Amino acid sequence: MMRFTAVVGLFPDLPETELTAWVQRGWVRPEGTEPDWIFGDIDVARVRLIHDFRHAMAVSEDTMPLVLSLLDQVYTLRGQLRAIAHAVEGQPEAVRAAIIAAIRG
Amino acid sequence: MKDPYETLGVQRTADEAAIRAAYRKLAKKHHPDVNPGKPDAAARFGEISSAHELLSDKEKRARFDRGEIDAEGHEVHDPRKYYRDTKGQERYASADGGAGFSQEDLEAFMAQAFGRAGQRSDWGATGRPMRGRDMQYSLTVSFVDAASGTTSRLSLPDGKTLDVRIPPGTEDGHVLRLRGQGGPGFNGAPAGDALIEITVAPDPRFHRDGDDIVTDIPVSLQEAVLGTSLEVPTIHGAVRVAVPPGSGTGTRLRLRGKGIRHGHQFVQLQVVIPPGDEPELAEFLKQWTPRQKVNPREGS
């Protein structure tokens, strides 16, 4: 859990206005309301990621919503896939074998 | 090594004075020489000292805050915690995630694909607390059991059994809810409920009228005219009932307290005329003049 100023402090080249804009656009969704935002671990990790996209990879601001939308879809699917994999894992050997055979077509 | 802020019990925003004050207070309390009987005091005091050492040094504190060094002052080789390794990604799950393929859909799919086992799938992976699902069962009980109350054992598809208390007077179609007896919850959320729909099997001997029980009992002509004593079934077991002389079809005898809860049982007599030829009876009735003239259709 970190406050807004602590998150800004993590990045020497991240102005407060920029992080504020990210939150306002919904790219990062900390708990609480401005200016008492509380950033959880996942939010901080996301700020780092967006920081990488914008500063290290120079992804343009206009492209960011597309990038984040695709990214979130991938992680959503990964979560669902993990749930399926876990469910399959809990099945008897014969059932697992049948499912694997069906997937391999 | 614990978080130095936690060790000193101070906020991450605490200023130097606050950190010094917290350190002095704890040092006094945990100094090994004032705690000769506590072997772990030395370790605790050591923790407090190193926490203070780190936090009282402006530069070290800043590096710790940025995650560049750990609580022991060692360089953290990869301070970066990547998004992919961080829990809670579902907070950013796309609203149109996987083209309308929601977690609920997935659950339904797995339930269908894997049967009940699908419902056991570990949603713990998503970290989201999720209440267990409600399970639907049905249970058939006899009229007498439903009326007087009983405990019935329900065998679940997974081999477990559930003792279901049927309260007295349970009606057909009533749904009993057993809290926490449904599917397990995930991530600390409570289990679902078992919903048990009760079917009450009809009993030809009894009809229910609220909390009263109505029973039709056939009696012969002689029994009706002369009176008798009959054994009558009730939901509490058979009882003997005196039929007073001069009873007829529709006479209702009340068996106090023999109904459901505080209700009664009513015995309705049905007079049965002897079948076949009864010339003596016919002859007698021709000669017979009732002492009280009654038109049974009067007023009807």
Side-chain angles (χ1 to χ4, degrees), chain B residues 23 30 68 88 92 115 144 169 195 198 242-243 258 286 292:
Chain B
Y23 166 68
H30 294 282
E68 292 168 14
Y92 292 98
V144 171
L195 300 176
I198 304 296
V243 176
K258 293 294 184 190
K286 275 183 203 159
Q292 290 156 27

Side-chain angles (χ1 to χ4, degrees), chain B residues 85-114:
Chain B
D85 301 320
T86 311
K87 280 212 167 98
Q89 288 150 3
E90 72 280 0
R91 245 155 73 65
Y92 292 98
S94 34
D96 57 343
F101 194 65
S102 71
Q103 218 151 50
E104 282 68 31
D105 290 338
L106 183 62
E107 217 186 339
F109 160 71
M110 288 198 297
Q112 191 191 2
F114 305 124

Side-chain angles (χ1 to χ4, degrees), chain B residues 1-255:
Chain B
M1 196 69 170
K2 274 167 66 183
D3 180 291
Y5 292 102
E6 249 174 62
T7 302
L8 293 186
V10 293
Q11 298 283 319
R12 298 187 87 84
T13 50
D15 60 16
E16 284 174 50
I19 287 169
R20 201 178 317 118
Y23 166 68
R24 285 193 178 145
K25 198 174 158 198
L26 287 169
K28 273 184 225 159
K29 190 174 165 194
H30 294 282
H31 194 286
D33 289 341
V34 286
N35 292 282
K38 278 190 184 166
D40 59 347
R44 181 91 177 91
F45 185 74
E47 266 179 26
I48 293 161
S49 301
S50 11
H52 175 248
E53 200 183 305
L54 195 152
L55 295 185
S56 59
D57 184 325
K58 249 188 176 157
E59 198 191 321
K60 277 191 189 169
R61 182 179 174 186
R63 292 192 69 203
F64 175 81
D65 285 349
R66 288 197 297 270
E68 292 168 14
I69 55 171
D70 64 19
E72 283 167 293
H74 296 145
E75 289 282 337
V76 174
H77 292 298
D78 188 3
R80 170 80 182 259
K81 204 173 178 197
Y82 288 97
Y83 186 79
R84 60 169 197 184
D85 301 320
T86 311
K87 280 212 167 98
Q89 288 150 3
E90 72 280 0
R91 245 155 73 65
Y92 292 98
S94 34
D96 57 343
F101 194 65
S102 71
Q103 218 151 50
E104 282 68 31
D105 290 338
L106 183 62
E107 217 186 339
F109 160 71
M110 288 198 297
Q112 191 191 2
F114 305 124
R116 283 184 342 287
Q119 294 158 3
R120 281 205 304 267
S121 67
D122 184 7
W123 288 90
T126 67
R128 183 160 66 99
M130 207 170 96
R131 187 177 167 275
R133 60 170 51 204
D134 291 341
M135 299 293 206
Q136 314 266 350
Y137 302 108
S138 61
L139 185 63
T140 300
V141 295
S142 72
F143 183 94
V144 171
D145 283 346
S148 54
T150 185
T151 298
S152 196
R153 180 157 288 190
L154 180 66
S155 295
L156 306 186
D158 63 0
K160 282 196 286 190
T161 56
L162 212 53
D163 285 327
V164 184
R165 204 183 69 82
I166 315 280
T170 298
E171 286 179 43
D172 188 51
H174 184 75
V175 177
L176 296 172
R177 179 180 287 266
L178 298 191
R179 296 225 175 269
Q181 298 291 345
F186 299 108
N187 300 306
D193 300 336
L195 300 176
I196 301 159
E197 184 173 357
I198 304 296
T199 302
V200 178
D203 189 315
R205 300 171 299 168
F206 303 110
H207 301 283
R208 188 170 170 180
D209 180 10
D211 278 355
D212 293 334
I213 303 273
V214 180
T215 305
D216 288 328
I217 299 284
V219 289
S220 70
L221 187 58
Q222 284 108 314
E223 285 171 337
V225 174
L226 304 175
T228 184
S229 167
L230 294 174
E231 189 160 276
V232 173
T234 76
I235 60 170
H236 307 288
V239 296
R240 285 208 83 79
V241 176
V243 176
S247 297
T249 292
T251 296
R252 278 164 77 101
L253 307 173
R254 189 172 74 164
L255 308 186

Side-chain angles (χ1 to χ4, degrees), chain A residues 51-73:
Chain A
H51 178 264
D52 278 354
F53 280 135
R54 293 283 291 122
H55 293 249
M57 303 178 212
V59 174
S60 82
E61 210 173 295
D62 291 346
T63 317
M64 279 302 294
L66 173 67
V67 171
L68 290 175
S69 160
L70 293 174
L71 182 102
D72 289 335
Q73 286 183 48

Side-chain angles (χ1 to χ4, degrees), chain B residues 269-288:
Chain B
L269 299 181
Q270 306 286 337
V271 177
V272 178
I273 302 298
D277 271 353
E278 291 292 346
E280 290 82 2
L281 180 60
E283 195 54 40
F284 165 74
L285 288 176
K286 275 183 203 159
Q287 311 284 324
W288 178 54

